[in-house]
Amino acid sequence: VSTNAEHITKKWLNYQYNPVGDNIQDRIRKFELLKYAGADRTMIDIGANHGRFGVELQKHFKAVDAVEPFCPAPNPKPANMTWYPMGFKKFVVQNSQQWDLVLTFACTLQIAEIDLMEEHDIARTHAKLVAPGGHLIYETQKQVNRQVNQVHVQKIVKNLETYLGAPIQSGTGRRGGRMYYVFHRSVK
């Protein structure tokens, strides 16, 4: 399966315009994203969809970058945003940067399925994106009545703990049994 598969692209674009999923401001508040912000801080959104987190948070960060294989960059694109129009696997192979805040919201299962990556590789490569002293916020997929998703989430969290330590915060995410976990990379 390619990240450019037409049926996946169409399905994903239809999902992006679903008003039920349009809760950017709610998640900025719930995950307390502004406490990670600063004029000298950087942020990257993995699976950025239409880049709305970057657009909303651009004034609070030095840079708000985004990785998204299906949706186009926002128009207008913030001046402090770099848009990576590619799948996660391709991105991490060519990337050497780290960010102060890494957002990965309900996209790791798609990374596993589309980029054919195992959970330990997804967690390892996400952890490498986090700068010393930085944070990663992982929001899971829906888990209620979804055994495959539950197993996937357990593997991702366990592997993130291996690379970043225990989450410093966790809680209930959006509906459907989603959870969120905040990890911190020490400054060793």
Side-chain angles (χ1 to χ4, degrees):
V1 176
S2 164
T3 55
N4 295 321
E6 187 175 340
H7 72 284
I8 293 174
T9 301
K10 284 181 181 177
K11 178 181 173 184
W12 195 241
L13 286 173
N14 288 338
Y15 171 80
Q16 296 311 306
Y17 289 107
N18 179 345
V20 174
D22 188 21
N23 52 23
I24 302 301
Q25 290 297 331
D26 292 342
R27 290 194 292 173
I28 288 172
R29 280 189 297 277
K30 182 169 192 77
F31 303 146
E32 303 176 271
L33 297 184
L34 292 179
K35 78 179 184 183
Y36 306 104
D40 61 337
R41 303 234 170 188
T42 58
M43 180 197 96
I44 189 165
D45 185 3
I46 306 300
N49 305 324
H50 293 285
R52 300 238 350 261
F53 281 101
V55 170
E56 293 294 324
L57 296 168
Q58 66 177 310
K59 294 176 186 166
H60 304 283
F61 286 88
K62 176 181 173 182
V64 288
D65 299 336
V67 177
E68 174 53 49
F70 299 120
C71 301
N75 186 7
K77 182 173 69 75
N80 63 340
M81 177 184 278
T82 300
W83 188 265
Y84 299 94
M86 61 189 71
F88 182 72
K89 187 175 188 176
K90 183 176 179 181
F91 170 73
V92 295
V93 165
Q94 69 182 37
N95 176 63
S96 61
Q97 260 183 275
Q98 291 183 310
W99 287 263
D100 297 304
L101 179 62
V102 176
L103 305 179
T104 184
F105 294 162
C107 69
T108 57
L109 188 60
Q110 288 78 14
I111 291 169
E113 293 175 347
I114 295 168
D115 286 338
L116 304 175
M117 292 179 74
E118 298 289 330
E119 284 86 354
H120 66 276
D121 283 330
I122 295 169
R124 179 182 56 77
T125 51
H126 271 79
K128 283 181 154 185
L129 298 176
V130 184
H135 295 84
L136 178 143
I137 303 177
Y138 168 52
E139 183 187 38
T140 72
Q141 273 78 15
K142 292 178 183 174
Q143 296 186 76
V144 172
N145 299 320
R146 296 181 184 205
Q147 183 66 30
V148 169
N149 294 18
Q150 292 169 11
V151 170
H152 171 79
V153 166
Q154 289 171 359
K155 290 179 180 179
I156 291 289
V157 171
K158 178 184 174 210
N159 282 287
L160 284 171
E161 288 175 343
T162 299
Y163 297 107
L164 296 171
I168 60 169
Q169 182 181 340
S170 63
T172 304
R174 294 176 287 162
R175 66 183 199 201
R178 287 182 172 101
M179 298 290 295
Y180 74 92
Y181 300 87
V182 179
F183 294 90
H184 177 255
R185 177 179 290 286
S186 64
V187 185
K188 298 186 217 183

